[in-house]
Amino acid sequence: MKEIQRILSFTRRAVDDYKMIKDGDKIAVGVSSGKDSLTLLTALAEMRRFYPQKYDICGITVDMGFEGADFSPIVEYCKSLNVEYKVIKTEIAKIIFDVRKESNPCSLCSKMRRGVLNSTAKELGCNSVALGHHFDDAVETFMLNIFFEGRLGCFSPVTYLSQSDINVIRPLIYAQEKDILYFSRHFPLPIIESRCPENHATERENMKALLKKLETDNKGLRHRIFNAMCKGEIDGFKPFGRLPE
């Protein structure tokens, strides 16, 4: 799988830098059915062959309850990777859109999905949950926190959740979205389009567009922002060597 070599390089570097995986770990990969989570699932499945610390993985999809959702292509894909896979059916969509009629549903939805994901991971004997957040997600989150909360903050590369007794790891933090997009276009990932009505209608999408516009006149801007986060050790990020652009 020559298409995945660049992704594997970024993944292993992040896992090593932040000591994300220990010998004997069982890692639950949160599979949303999009390109990011499926790329992460593929990378961790492939890395089992050569990584010095032996670990196992499983995939978990939290079914939001949108009508017509079909995850059978991912079921078959996980079989090809020799990865255990679970789809957990919920009524999150109904609760958020029909019962509560949330005007800003993304935050509550994220909390509810994470709760289901973490509890299912524990039931399956996992001690870690891997999420598909990447380099661009980190930069966008940092900027969103500045714009809307007036604080310097981001998600962490590694987080221990004491209430759940589980580690949350983000092995794709060095991989740019363009690398993941290239991989997804050249490798047959079973990507399933999100049925959420809020898809692509978020402040994150607006921030993505703003950063793209700013980088037109300020080449390398996102890398400088990411480097500043690491130099400032924001929420567990730490200084690192240069990443390819």
Side-chain angles (χ1 to χ4, degrees), residues 94-129:
K94 180 179 179 180
I95 293 169
I96 289 177
F97 293 106
D98 298 336
V99 177
R100 296 179 60 111
K101 301 184 187 301
E102 291 283 327
S103 57
N104 296 297
C106 296
S107 178
L108 177 60
C109 175
S110 178
K111 290 178 181 178
M112 293 179 74
R113 285 188 289 115
R114 284 199 304 266
V116 175
L117 175 61
N118 292 342
S119 62
T120 303
K122 290 298 291 184
E123 290 171 7
L124 294 176
C126 300
N127 61 305
S128 292
V129 168

Side-chain angles (χ1 to χ4, degrees), residues 18 138 141-142 145 149 151-159 170 173 228-238:
Y18 290 94
T141 299
F142 179 70
N145 284 331
E149 297 184 24
R151 68 181 181 89
L152 301 178
C154 188
F155 52 72
S156 300
V158 178
T159 306
R170 294 176 167 91
I173 54 169
M229 290 167 56
C230 294
K231 286 182 176 179
E233 299 185 2
I234 302 296
D235 288 327
F237 282 82
K238 60 185 182 181

Side-chain angles (χ1 to χ4, degrees), residues 61-65 69-71 86-92 116:
T61 293
V62 178
D63 183 347
M64 299 270 291
D70 177 17
F71 300 103
K86 298 287 185 181
V87 177
I88 308 301
K89 295 185 179 297
T90 73
E91 294 189 343
I92 292 176
V116 175

Side-chain angles (χ1 to χ4, degrees), residues 189-207:
L189 297 176
I191 295 171
I192 300 171
E193 188 67 27
S194 172
R195 292 178 174 269
C196 178
E198 294 293 316
N199 195 32
H200 303 307
T202 65
E203 291 296 345
R204 181 172 294 277
E205 289 299 319
N206 294 336
M207 180 58 70

